[in-house]
């Protein structure tokens, strides 16, 4: 099998596993305990926090560990929404149409059950939110703006720095979901100018089950998981020490090896894009070609059932994903496909191919050779 | 290794089929179709509730085989459900499982199986195949006569049968359940189900009321000699041979003899009038490609649950005639009651199922 779905998840790097292992049995203490077992565990978490803070270019007490990127999104958005409403009465939240469901679902909940109002920001044909769109939507009643750093489905990178500037010029909080972006893009929060940033380890060769939220000092935030006061009273629950250690190590490696990983995947990805658009009729690239994640290729094929294409690909030995796929055989084009203006006959046929640091050029050659035939099969079966 | 796709439903029969084939050394792939449910009743189609899909998935994981779901909603609606509605519109009692087997399972799904590189498709049907020396594939009744499903498979042609496998037909049902338990398959204690999948346990009349109310227009109930006896609530509400629910006062029990869609009348009569020696069959499929030289004697089943009855069968054209035009005439030794247009008449000689068609 050839794995080409690194945006879905990545294998845990052996160096990360090595760092994590001691904290399962050898040094298993609860970081909140007074005794030396606890001290050792706390030291591990502190060290991890410092590592992350160095990479993010922030203070350690601005790093909150969570269970995953989705939890970080939930904490950021709910937490800031409740806090700002309490502080200023603000009740509007702005977010793009192309956010991850961890953001959009959370916003819909806040609308339905908590009386907040959501304005969905339009995106261009590449899925990008312009700073101007944000500027015209912002008002004094806005609690928070959320725009993702890079899109998981179509790879487009947003103008985070510029949007952050617009928000701050108006005194509005700005959150970015950087879960996809962190694997390949710089995450210096001072350069980016964000107030909050979500991260998830399993996208950059760390384990599933741990994430982090950067929260700029002074950001009003109401905690989500309440209890024992861990994570500066912002996220209760005994810390998952080995996984937090793993998160930090994975992020450290991603930061250190960013250039070489990018240099490895980008040409392979470009080859895929170039060849596929040439060899498969009625195919389009989705997302911005220029400003996109270096490992990410996403296409739409007209009149193709995306779910069926994935089945054919899997049977042929290639693991990919699709924005429109559904494991229960009831596919619909994703919201992102709709937001970038694709009609249903295109939107149902989306395919995402994402590469990793261990993808070889043979893998890519094999994939490029097989895909045209499989797209044709899918088209035939669909008629 | 030879690839085979097993059409899985989450039920015990298709699960054991997959297990047996894996044991026999095949490269097994599990597939399930997402069928159609009425809008607003999504996931009520018994064949693909999230529950049954979850079951099938768990079985696949247990057997360590890949599992894929294929979207068949539209084609199911336009073939099987439409066939069902069209049958009632003609005053017949249709059996949509026949359309499903022919067009959905053994065309749509088979095409997908072959596209995945499989040489065969297998189902959990209780039926056996046997190849004779010339390579012709015969369909035989299952070892377990009570569970035999050769009736619904009379629509299969040689072309399709050369890609078919039916592993469970060689076993009696209790043994199939035992095999499921042996493999630790989660379906071991699931009950069998007989009703139409897309009705989800509901009475077909409610379905018609919602989807084809024009078939339920009241009209007259008459005897064969034209005497007016009362009113019926819509021809589709009745089936041939039905006694109860006629709402007609009569000294002797009355049975539904037939339906006239043109005049929208329901014809009823006494038990003596119910039986008939003859029926004619359209859209006949001969499994072997050609009918036996006719007229020939065979046991004929006129409903899935009916007992076979001896008859003389006369094919009216050769097997080479286009399917739509193939007909046959059947004359029973003893009169048969409840001969229902729209149901299938299927011909057997011993264990061999020769083929069948739709009763006119």
């Amino acid at each position: 099998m050839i794995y080409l779905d690194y945006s879905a998840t990545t294998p845990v790097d052996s160096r990360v596993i090595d760092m994590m292992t001691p904290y399962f049995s050898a040094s298993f203490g609860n970081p909140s305990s007074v005794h030396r077992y606890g001290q050792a565990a706390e030291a591990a978490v502190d060290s991890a926090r410092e590592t992350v803070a160095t990479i993010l270019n922030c203070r350690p007490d601005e790093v909150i560990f969570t269970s995953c990127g989705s939890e970080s999104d939930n904490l950021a958005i709910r937490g800031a929404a409740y806090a700002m409403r309490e502080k200023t009465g603000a009740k509007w939240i702005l977010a793009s149409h192309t956010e991850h469901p961890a953001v959009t679902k959370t916003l819909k909940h806040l609308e339905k059950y908590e009386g907040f109002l959501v304005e969905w920001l339009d995106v261009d044909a590449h899925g990008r939110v312009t700073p101007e769109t944000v500027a015209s939507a912002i008002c004094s009643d806005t609690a928070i703006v959320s725009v993702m750093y890079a899109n998981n489905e179509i790879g487009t990178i947003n103008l985070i720095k510029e949007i952050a500037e617009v928000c701050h010029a108006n005194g509005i909080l700005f959150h970015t979901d950087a879960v996809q972006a962190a694997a390949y893009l710089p995450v210096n929060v001072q350069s980016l100018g964000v107030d909050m940033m979500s991260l998830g380890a399993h996208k950059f060769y760390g384990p599933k089950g741990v994430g982090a939220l950067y929260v700029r000092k002074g950001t009003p935030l109401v905690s989500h998981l309440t209890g024992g006061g861990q994570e500066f009273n912002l996220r209760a629950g005994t810390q998952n020490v080995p996984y937090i250690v793993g998160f930090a190590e994975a992020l450290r490696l991603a930061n250190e090896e960013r250039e070489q990983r990018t240099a490895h995947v980008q040409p392979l990805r470009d080859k895929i894009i170039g060849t596929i658009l040439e060899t498969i009729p009625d195919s389009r690239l989705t997302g911005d070609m220029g400003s996109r994640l270096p490992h990410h290729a996403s296409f739409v094929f007209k009149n193709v059932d995306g779910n069926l294409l994935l089945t054919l690909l899997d049977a042929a030995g290639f693991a990919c994903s699709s924005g429109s796929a559904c494991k229960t055989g009831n596919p619909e084009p994703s919201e992102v496909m709709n937001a970038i203006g694709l009609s249903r006959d295109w939107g149902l046929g989306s395919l995402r191919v994402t590469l990793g640091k261990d993808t070889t050029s043979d893998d890519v050659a094999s994939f490029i050779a097989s895909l045209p035939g499989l797209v044709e099969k899918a088209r035939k079966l669909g008629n | 290794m030879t690839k085979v796709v097993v059409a899985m439903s989450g039920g015990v029969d298709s699960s054991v089929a997959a297990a047996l084939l894996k044991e026999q050394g095949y490269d097994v792939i599990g597939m399930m179709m997402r069928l159609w449910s009425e809008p607003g009743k999504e996931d009520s189609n018994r064949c693909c509730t999230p529950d049954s899909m979850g079951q099938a998935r768990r079985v696949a994981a247990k057997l360590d085989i890949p599992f894929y779901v294929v979207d068949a909603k539209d084609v199911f609606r336009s073939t099987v459900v439409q066939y069902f509605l069209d049958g009632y519109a003609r005053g017949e009692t249709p059996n949509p499982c026949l359309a499903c087997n022919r067009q959905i399972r053994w065309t749509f799904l088979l095409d997908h199986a072959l596209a995945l590189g499989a040489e065969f498709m297998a189902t959990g049907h209780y039926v056996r195949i046997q190849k004779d020396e010339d390579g012709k594939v015969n369909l035989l009744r299952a070892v377990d006569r009570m569970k035999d499903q050769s009736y619904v498979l009379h629509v299969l042609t040689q072309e399709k049968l050369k890609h078919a496998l039916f592993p469970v037909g060689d076993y009696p049902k209790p043994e199939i359940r035992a095999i499921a338990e042996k493999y630790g398959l989660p379906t071991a204690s699931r009950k069998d189900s007989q009703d139409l999948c897309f009705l989800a346990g509901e009475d077909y009349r409610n379905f018609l009321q919602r989807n084809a109310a024009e078939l339920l227009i009241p009209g007259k109930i008459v005897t064969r000699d034209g005497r007016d006896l009362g009113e019926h609530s819509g021809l589709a509400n009745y089936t041939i041979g039905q006694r109860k629910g006629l709402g007609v006062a009569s000294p002797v029990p009355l049975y539904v003899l037939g339906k006239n869609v043109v005049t929208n009348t329901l014809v009823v009569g006494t038990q003596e009038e119910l039986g008939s020696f003859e029926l004619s069959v359209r859209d006949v499929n001969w499994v072997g490609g050609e009918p036996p030289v006719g007229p020939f004697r065979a046991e004929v089943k006129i409903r899935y649950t009916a007992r076979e009855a001896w008859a003389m069968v006369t094919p009216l054209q050769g097997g080479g005639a286009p399917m739509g035009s193939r007909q046959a005439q059947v004359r029973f030794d003893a009169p048969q009651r409840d001969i229902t247009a729209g149901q299938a008449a299927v011909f057997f000689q011993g264990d061999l199922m020769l083929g069948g068609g739709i009763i006119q």
Side-chain angles (χ1 to χ4, degrees):
Chain A
M1 287 287 308
I2 296 176
Y3 187 76
L4 298 169
D5 198 17
Y6 288 87
S7 272
T9 196
T10 57
V12 183
D13 191 302
S14 56
R15 294 168 288 180
V16 172
I17 296 179
D18 289 344
M19 283 294 282
M20 292 169 68
T21 308
Y23 297 97
F24 286 107
S25 320
S27 181
F28 64 91
N30 182 329
S32 302
S33 301
V34 169
H35 49 66
R36 273 175 276 175
Y37 291 90
Q39 292 168 30
E42 188 180 18
V45 172
D46 280 349
S47 172
R49 203 185 304 280
E50 269 180 42
T51 301
V52 174
T54 304
I55 295 165
L56 264 42
N57 192 15
C58 68
R59 297 160 49 131
D61 63 0
E62 291 176 321
V63 175
I64 312 297
F65 288 113
T66 62
S67 64
C68 57
S70 294
E71 191 198 323
S72 301
D73 285 340
N74 269 264
L75 174 57
I77 291 172
R78 281 184 212 272
Y82 294 151
M84 289 309 291
R85 182 160 68 178
E86 194 178 33
K87 186 171 171 194
T88 67
K91 56 181 186 296
W92 279 93
I93 307 173
L94 309 184
S96 82
H97 268 294
T98 54
E99 296 301 308
H100 186 276
V103 169
T104 57
K105 268 280 179 62
T106 302
L107 289 173
K108 288 181 179 157
H109 254 234
L110 288 172
E111 235 184 351
K112 184 171 180 187
Y113 297 107
E114 304 292 336
F116 285 93
L117 297 163
V118 180
E119 180 165 342
W120 301 100
L121 303 169
D122 284 328
V123 296
D124 64 19
H126 294 313
R128 196 182 288 112
V129 182
T130 65
E132 294 72 39
T133 308
V134 179
S136 51
I138 268 185
C139 68
S140 58
D141 220 11
T142 308
I144 174 171
V145 173
S146 182
V147 175
M148 66 203 313
Y149 193 168
N151 186 277
N152 51 311
E153 278 189 54
I154 58 181
T156 303
I157 302 172
N158 272 309
L159 302 159
I160 298 303
K161 193 168 138 107
E162 289 79 352
I163 295 176
E165 276 165 21
V166 168
C167 291
H168 290 139
N170 290 275
I172 310 286
L173 288 177
F174 179 48
H175 161 258
T176 189
D177 174 341
V179 170
Q180 275 297 309
Y184 288 95
L185 304 181
V187 283
N188 182 327
V189 297
Q190 307 313 329
S191 318
L192 292 171
V194 299
D195 295 300
M196 291 185 287
M197 182 169 77
S198 305
L199 301 166
H202 74 103
K203 307 289 192 189
F204 45 85
Y205 303 93
K208 295 174 222 3
V210 61
L213 179 68
Y214 158 72
V215 183
R216 185 178 294 273
K217 201 114 201 107
T219 304
L221 200 70
V222 171
S223 65
H224 194 44
L225 271 178
T226 46
Q230 293 89 345
E231 298 303 293
F232 315 105
N233 261 304
L234 283 176
R235 197 272 183 188
T238 303
Q239 286 98 335
N240 189 340
V241 181
Y243 278 56
I244 286 170
V245 168
F247 179 102
E249 181 64 3
L251 188 65
R252 186 186 74 76
L253 292 168
N255 192 52
E256 228 174 68
E257 298 176 6
R258 179 175 303 120
E259 271 179 45
Q260 80 213 53
R261 290 181 188 183
T262 303
H264 174 76
V265 294
Q266 195 157 322
L268 292 175
R269 187 277 311 266
D270 289 345
K271 179 149 191 162
I272 289 180
I273 294 180
T275 318
I276 293 307
L277 294 177
E278 242 171 72
T279 56
I280 301 186
D282 283 330
S283 63
R284 283 193 213 160
L285 180 74
T286 49
D288 189 302
M289 184 58 227
S291 193
R292 86 183 286 134
L293 290 169
H295 72 304
H296 189 297
S298 55
F299 306 95
V300 279
F301 302 110
K302 195 172 185 200
N303 295 322
V304 167
D305 173 344
N307 199 60
L308 178 58
L309 183 58
L310 291 184
T311 299
L312 292 170
L313 277 164
D314 191 48
F318 302 98
C320 303
S321 60
S322 165
S324 57
C326 171
K327 273 176 112 167
T328 61
N330 197 3
E332 284 297 311
S334 71
E335 284 202 40
V336 176
M337 296 294 105
N338 293 333
I340 60 177
L342 285 174
S343 55
R344 196 186 162 82
D345 53 352
W346 282 94
L348 272 179
S350 70
L351 180 71
R352 182 181 72 177
V353 183
T354 47
L355 313 182
K357 60 184 172 71
D358 298 315
T359 306
T360 66
S361 49
D362 280 346
D363 293 339
V364 168
S366 206
F367 176 74
I368 288 174
S370 307
L371 187 65
L374 298 176
V375 170
E376 208 187 300
K377 259 191 196 170
R379 281 178 170 148
K380 266 210 203 99
L381 286 170
N383 287 333
Chain B
M1 272 206 292
T2 312
K3 251 190 197 170
V4 57
V5 163
V6 178
M8 296 179 77
S9 67
V12 62
D13 301 323
S14 51
S15 304
V16 171
L20 289 171
L21 289 170
K22 183 140 197 231
E23 200 178 64
Q24 289 165 27
Y26 287 94
D27 181 4
V28 179
I29 297 172
M31 276 189 106
M32 186 161 183
M33 291 186 289
R34 174 69 178 234
L35 301 178
W36 176 90
S37 318
E38 272 181 271
K41 286 173 171 273
E42 270 82 33
D43 301 333
S44 66
N45 186 318
R46 175 182 47 84
C47 249
C48 60
T49 58
D51 193 46
S52 51
M53 215 168 262
Q55 287 272 59
R57 224 179 263 288
R58 270 196 296 287
V59 170
K62 203 122 203 207
L63 297 175
D64 194 23
I65 62 176
F67 179 77
Y68 305 113
V69 175
V70 142
D71 179 12
K73 290 196 303 299
D74 288 345
V75 62
F76 187 86
R77 168 69 187 84
S78 63
T79 54
V80 179
V81 180
Q82 196 54 49
Y83 177 94
F84 181 74
L85 297 174
D86 289 348
Y88 278 107
R90 279 197 297 268
E92 296 177 350
T93 300
N95 183 339
C97 306
L98 304 177
C100 181
N101 268 301
R102 182 170 47 231
Q103 286 162 274
I104 306 297
R105 289 223 182 99
W106 294 99
T107 304
F108 180 82
L109 189 60
L110 179 60
D111 285 346
H112 280 74
L114 299 175
L116 285 188
E119 241 181 85
F120 296 99
M121 187 172 92
T123 65
H125 279 108
Y126 282 88
V127 78
R128 287 176 292 166
I129 47 178
Q130 174 213 71
K131 265 204 191 113
D132 64 22
E133 311 96 29
D134 337 314
K136 186 168 77 134
V137 182
N138 292 317
L139 262 182
L140 304 180
R141 290 196 248 216
V143 156
D144 190 332
R145 277 291 180 102
M146 288 270 294
K147 301 296 304 176
D148 175 53
Q149 289 170 296
S150 51
Y151 177 86
V152 296
L153 295 180
H154 74 264
V155 296
L156 295 183
T157 58
Q158 287 298 302
E159 179 58 42
K160 301 200 195 284
L161 282 171
K162 75 171 186 249
H163 293 297
L165 290 177
F166 299 108
V168 308
D170 291 309
Y171 300 83
K173 180 89 185 201
E175 216 174 303
I176 294 296
R177 286 203 192 275
I179 295 174
E181 284 187 37
K182 178 182 95 177
Y183 280 96
L185 299 181
T187 56
S189 54
R190 225 173 94 142
K191 279 210 296 266
D192 293 340
S193 184
Q194 290 250 10
D195 40 305
L196 295 181
C197 63
F198 59 91
L199 295 181
E202 220 193 10
D203 192 292
Y204 78 96
R205 285 172 275 227
N206 298 334
F207 181 85
L208 290 178
Q209 186 64 51
R210 285 192 302 270
N211 293 280
E214 70 274 13
L215 300 179
L216 298 173
I217 299 173
K220 286 199 194 317
I221 301 181
V222 297
T223 60
R224 270 222 174 105
D225 41 355
R227 248 185 323 130
D228 192 339
L229 292 183
E231 202 181 65
H232 69 74
S233 57
L235 287 179
N237 279 327
Y238 305 85
T239 190
I240 308 297
Q242 181 175 334
R243 200 187 90 174
K244 293 209 175 102
L246 294 181
V248 168
S250 164
V252 291
L254 291 178
Y255 299 78
V256 174
L257 299 181
K259 304 177 186 180
N260 187 324
V261 269
V262 176
T263 55
N264 193 25
T265 50
L266 189 69
V267 182
V268 301
T270 60
Q271 189 163 28
E272 296 73 48
E273 296 181 84
L274 197 46
S276 173
F277 277 96
E278 305 231 358
L279 62 82
S280 53
V281 191
R282 62 173 165 85
D283 297 335
V284 181
N285 179 54
W286 300 106
V287 174
E290 286 287 331
V293 175
F296 60 90
R297 283 189 63 73
E299 287 181 274
V300 181
K301 224 174 155 179
I302 58 171
R303 216 167 22 257
Y304 186 38
T305 48
R307 204 134 37 124
E308 299 86 350
W310 278 103
M312 196 65 119
V313 179
T314 307
L316 297 182
Q317 302 86 8
M323 228 232 2
S325 72
R326 278 184 252 129
Q327 305 199 23
Q329 205 55 37
V330 177
R331 189 177 168 81
F332 292 96
D333 292 354
Q336 300 296 304
R337 41 168 297 174
D338 303 348
I339 296 182
T340 308
Q343 294 286 289
V346 177
F347 318 122
F348 296 87
Q349 281 178 342
D351 273 343
L352 182 64
M353 189 272 288
L354 295 167
I358 305 298
I359 299 172
Q360 301 201 78

